[in-house]
């Protein structure tokens, strides 16, 4: 097979040319030096047809697409985009950190440029709606218009009515009254991208699953791609609902039948996977493409991500009241660079959900959404993870939350004895459990090697650049063989400013004063 970029054509020499011309009538037969060839337009549809008759051909995205953005794609990202461009329904099962988002957007943008699709709906966790998907579009696709469908029902419907290329909505946003109906009145939205499909489509009985199923399959069979790094986080049966959503023909119509094929009952309430379960799941979740981080040798050694989190009403009120009081104190000269750190610590305590009062008692202001995002990331990573929490009371809360959700978790703070710490570190590095260590950063910031993990989640920022750098260094070690991902959780401008300075190894003193003074002048 030859590829003519100039003519955007494939030139094939086959024994039976009619095998091609019968299914691709516009294909041209010609002779050259006494040999017969067939020329076929190098387009997405033609490549699909050739594949159906057993003639593999590369996706045209590799040859004619300009790959817009701040950087050129890595080899594996090109392969992901090429794969998606050739499949109307597919799973993108790459690990966290391999670039599933940008690869998927390139595939959409290419298909859009050819007229194969028009507009896309992205359904993602709330934490990745703005800081991952919207930011990725903003940085790399300036020619695309994005509408983030978040807020009240009226606001969502108003934004959906606007002219955009990509509409972004959170998983639970589809349950809002009237959203599904409005989407199904838009045949121009002909591609649905489901981020973390294993979260939203794990249970077919859930309301958000039913809403998503109606959007993808009810009115018309839209193109749909499902993204997740952990397709079966709990059991092989997790695959059934995802397959019913994207490739319903690959699994039985009833959950019980699928469960019987992948699980075996050993007592009244105990089921265990059958030996062939993973092979059955792999066959069902097709077409699919999967890259592990350690396979992507061209990735940078360390990747930084930001996940947006929401504050609870109690947190919003406490944070707002604290800022208002601070502004008054600054105007009165009561807050200076000397005592600013104390004020900043109080704000960060509010954000983590555990505030110390004047008597040293912990006031719980709840931080449920932030903890939910931690759990999402741990499940998405599917491997050992370090979660850094600045305050002792919050460390315990996060660890208990993860344990409650069935994740093997240990915690470490300044009050944990050395012998207990050593036990936890040894188990983390050398055995399958725990999967997660929740720690006060200063307790892990020097000397330790914890390369069993390659993902770090910062529950909230610290106020010491040295502590931040040293804590990140627990997985960024010479013995680390995998690409590392460091994820910052943020809900406020203060956190964003702190993370930027910490990452750049700058002092954070003065950040709070700077933020308040800038806000006063705007």
């Amino acid at each position: 097979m030859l590829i003519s970029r100039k003519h955007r054509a494939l030139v094939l020499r086959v024994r039976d040319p009619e095998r091609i011309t019968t299914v691709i009538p516009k294909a041209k037969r010609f002779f050259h030096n006494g040999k017969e060839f067939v020329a076929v337009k190098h387009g997405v549809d033609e490549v699909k047809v050739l594949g159906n008759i057993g003639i593999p051909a590369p996706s045209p995205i590799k040859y004619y697409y300009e790959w817009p953005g701040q950087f050129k794609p890595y080899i594996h990202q090109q392969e992901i985009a090429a794969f998606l461009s050739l499949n109307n329904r597919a799973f993108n099962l790459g690990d966290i950190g391999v670039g599933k988002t940008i690869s998927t957007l390139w595939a959409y943008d290419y298909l859009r440029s050819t007229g194969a699709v028009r507009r896309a709906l992205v359904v993602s966790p709330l934490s990745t709606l703005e800081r991952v998907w919207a930011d990725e579009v903003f940085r790399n696709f300036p020619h695309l218009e994005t509408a983030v469908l978040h807020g009240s029902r009226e606001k969502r419907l108003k934004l959906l009515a606007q002219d955009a290329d990509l509409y972004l909505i959170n998983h639970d946003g589809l349950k809002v009254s009237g959203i599904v109906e409005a989407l199904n009145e838009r045949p121009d939205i002909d591609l649905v991208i489901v981020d973390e499909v294993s979260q939203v489509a794990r249970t077919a009985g859930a309301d958000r699953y039913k809403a998503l199923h109606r959007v993808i399959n009810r009115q018309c069979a839209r193109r749909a791609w499902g993204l997740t790094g952990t397709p079966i986080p709990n059991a092989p049966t997790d695959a059934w609902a995802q397959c019913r959503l994207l490739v319903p023909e690959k699994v039985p119509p009833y959950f019980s039948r699928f469960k019987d094929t992948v699980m075996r009952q050993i007592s009244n309430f105990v089921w265990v996977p059958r030996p062939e379960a993973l092979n059955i799941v792999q066959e069902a979740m097709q077409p699919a493409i999967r890259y592990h981080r350690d396979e992507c040798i061209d990735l940078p050694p360390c990747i930084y991500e930001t996940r947006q989190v929401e504050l609870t009403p109690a947190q919003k009120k406490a944070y707002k009241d604290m800022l208002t009081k601070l502004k008054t104190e600054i105007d009165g000269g009561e807050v200076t660079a000397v005592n600013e750190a104390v004020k900043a610590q109080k704000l960060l305590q509010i954000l983590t959900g555990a505030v110390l009062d004047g008597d040293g008692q912990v006031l719980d202001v709840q931080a449920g959404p932030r903890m939910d995002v931690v759990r999402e990331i741990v499940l998405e990573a599917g491997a050992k993870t370090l979660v850094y929490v600045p305050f002792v009371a919050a460390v315990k809360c996060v660890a208990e939350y993860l344990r409650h959700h069935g994740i093997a978790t240990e915690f470490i703070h300044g009050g944990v004895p050395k012998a207990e710490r050593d036990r936890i570190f040894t188990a983390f590095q050398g055995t399958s459990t725990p999967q997660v260590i929740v720690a006060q950063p200063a307790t892990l910031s020097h000397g330790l090697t914890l390369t069993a993990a390659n993902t770090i989640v910062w529950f909230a920022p610290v106020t010491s650049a040295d502590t931040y750098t040293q804590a990140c260094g627990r997985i960024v070690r010479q013995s680390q063989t995998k690409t590392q991902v460091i994820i910052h959780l943020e809900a406020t401008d203060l956190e964003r400013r702190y993370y930027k300075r910490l990452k750049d190894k700058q002092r954070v003193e003065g950040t709070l004063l700077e933020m308040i003074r800038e806000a006063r002048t705007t």
Side-chain angles (χ1 to χ4, degrees), residues 25-281:
K26 292 185 178 180
K28 303 295 183 182
R29 300 169 64 175
F30 67 94
F31 287 87
H32 179 69
N33 292 335
K35 298 176 181 179
E36 187 174 16
F37 296 87
V38 179
V40 178
K41 176 186 175 183
H42 193 188
V44 169
D45 291 338
E46 288 75 12
V47 169
K48 287 182 182 178
V49 172
L50 289 173
N52 290 338
I53 62 174
I55 303 176
S59 170
I61 193 175
K62 292 184 175 182
Y63 298 88
Y64 316 113
Y65 185 51
E66 294 298 327
W67 305 99
Q70 296 180 336
F71 59 88
K72 293 299 180 183
Y74 298 114
I75 294 172
H76 70 276
Q77 292 172 338
Q78 294 183 42
E79 293 299 330
I80 292 172
F83 172 83
L84 293 176
S85 72
L86 296 178
N87 289 280
N88 290 356
R89 297 287 181 97
F91 290 97
N92 180 359
L93 305 179
D95 278 350
I96 184 174
V98 303
K100 294 192 294 293
T101 302
I102 185 69
S103 303
T104 303
L105 288 170
W106 273 321
Y108 158 70
D109 186 52
Y110 170 71
L111 292 176
R112 175 184 170 278
S113 72
T114 67
V117 300
R118 288 171 286 179
R119 308 178 200 273
L121 173 72
V122 176
V123 185
S124 85
L126 187 60
S127 64
T128 62
L129 206 61
E130 290 272 11
R131 293 287 73 83
V132 176
W133 285 97
D135 284 356
E136 204 74 83
V137 176
F138 178 79
R139 287 192 298 261
N140 298 289
F141 302 89
H143 56 289
L144 297 181
E145 292 293 331
T146 301
V148 180
L149 310 183
H150 185 58
S152 65
R153 174 182 179 274
E154 291 71 22
K155 182 179 179 181
R156 291 175 192 259
L157 291 172
K158 182 178 179 180
L159 288 167
L160 181 57
Q162 293 180 1
D163 188 22
D165 301 295
L166 289 136
Y167 298 92
L168 315 182
I169 192 168
N170 60 306
H171 287 166
D172 288 320
L174 291 177
K175 298 189 299 183
V176 175
S177 174
I179 294 296
V180 170
E181 291 74 13
L183 286 168
N184 282 341
E185 292 175 359
R186 294 286 301 275
D188 57 316
I189 302 176
D190 46 10
L191 168 64
V192 180
I193 300 167
V194 188
D195 192 15
E196 290 309 316
V197 65
S198 65
Q199 293 181 27
V200 70
R202 191 177 305 166
T203 305
D207 289 341
R208 63 183 186 178
Y209 176 91
K210 293 176 181 178
L212 184 57
H213 192 278
R214 288 171 61 198
V215 171
I216 292 177
N217 296 308
R218 185 63 59 84
Q219 295 295 107
C220 57
R222 290 179 162 110
R223 290 178 188 253
W225 301 330
L227 283 60
T228 181
T230 51
I232 48 173
N234 298 314
T237 48
D238 290 342
W240 180 79
Q242 298 173 65
C243 291
R244 290 299 299 169
L245 184 69
L246 297 183
V247 285
E249 71 282 0
K250 295 293 185 71
V251 292
Y254 300 106
F255 174 76
S256 57
R257 287 180 55 190
F258 183 75
K259 183 177 181 179
D260 286 337
T261 65
V262 297
M263 304 290 285
R264 180 170 57 89
Q265 189 172 13
I266 60 175
S267 68
N268 285 342
F269 303 104
V270 178
W271 293 71
V272 296
R274 295 181 182 275
E276 65 275 19
L278 291 182
N279 290 333
I280 293 172
V281 169

